[in-house]
Amino acid sequence: MAIKLIALDIDDTLLNSHGFMLQSTRDSLSQALAAGIKVVLCSGRPLAGVRPFLNELAIRPDQQYAITYNGSIIESGNGHIIAELGLTNEIYRQVDIYAHNYRLQYNVLDRNSVIYTSNQDVNRMTVVQAWENQAGLLIRKPDDLPAEFSIVKAVFVGETTVLDQHEAGIRMEFGANTYVVRTAANFLEIMNQQANKGRALAKLAESLSLNPAEILVFGDERNDLPMFDYAGQAVAMGNATAAVKQHATYVTASNDEDGIAKALTKLVFN
């Protein structure tokens, strides 16, 4: 069955290890768009951090879609929200207390791409997030914000060894009521229990009258696995984790070695 939608993770998939899109990636996705195939970027980033790549690919915002915040929001390129799953103020406060008790660094994001943290010494990964996502960064405690303030997701950030040490405890504390996923070595995210990239992709596909066999996905990390389980074809980048490669129907070259272009040539344009 012909592919009608290509869904791609951004960091370490769409982008190379230096944070840029290869020319081969840009050219192959432009070829897909010209053939009428929808290209959907699926990321933990908010829309502010996704839009530059939509623009780089010359994807018309009124005709394309993005899955942001790791599946918490489905929206059009011009910011029209199709579906949204967030977290309550109560969970935000629970995260803040937990981070304080265990001396962990964290931040939360609202639906407008703004990052908040109560850490006075802001972790470098939070600064990187704010820069990559072109988002504001505000140092606020929960009591500094309105009582009805809600978030889309929370992120524990830090060195790999620190998150490795605390991941099991965080899962025990929050796993019963939220979706907890390690999205990268330096990020452990907490989202709405019903939010993940796979569910969001399925909902978007349903709205577009597409079935899984018409969808091809690319990814490299554990938060991409729900997409792999849903789509008809799942491509793991050569730089992907072992778990992701095991779930893939095809393993391509790395994000530095024209992996996306090579996979599309074999699986879509042959």
Side-chain angles (χ1 to χ4, degrees), residues 7-78:
L8 305 100
D9 171 57
I10 292 181
D11 294 293
D12 297 317
T13 299
L14 179 73
L15 307 182
N16 67 7
S17 58
H18 300 289
F20 298 102
M21 200 183 308
L22 298 176
Q23 185 64 49
S24 64
T25 299
R26 191 182 299 109
D27 290 344
S28 61
L29 291 176
S30 294
Q31 183 179 351
L33 288 164
I37 299 172
K38 291 191 177 298
V39 173
V40 177
L41 303 188
C42 305
S43 177
R45 298 180 182 222
L47 185 61
V50 173
R51 189 176 283 118
F53 307 112
L54 296 173
N55 294 339
E56 188 173 350
L57 291 168
I59 299 177
R60 286 184 54 182
D62 60 331
Q63 294 183 351
Q64 296 295 336
Y65 305 90
I67 291 171
T68 57
Y69 299 92
N70 274 317
S72 297
I73 294 181
I74 309 168
E75 52 197 315
S76 66
N78 57 12

Side-chain angles (χ1 to χ4, degrees), residues 194-211:
Q194 300 302 313
N196 65 51
K197 290 185 180 182
R199 285 197 180 101
L201 184 59
K203 188 173 185 65
L204 177 60
E206 182 181 1
S207 72
L208 298 172
S209 299
L210 299 178
N211 64 61

Side-chain angles (χ1 to χ4, degrees), residues 167-179:
E167 181 171 350
I170 291 170
R171 289 185 180 278
M172 186 175 296
E173 178 74 14
F174 297 98
N177 300 310
T178 67
Y179 171 46

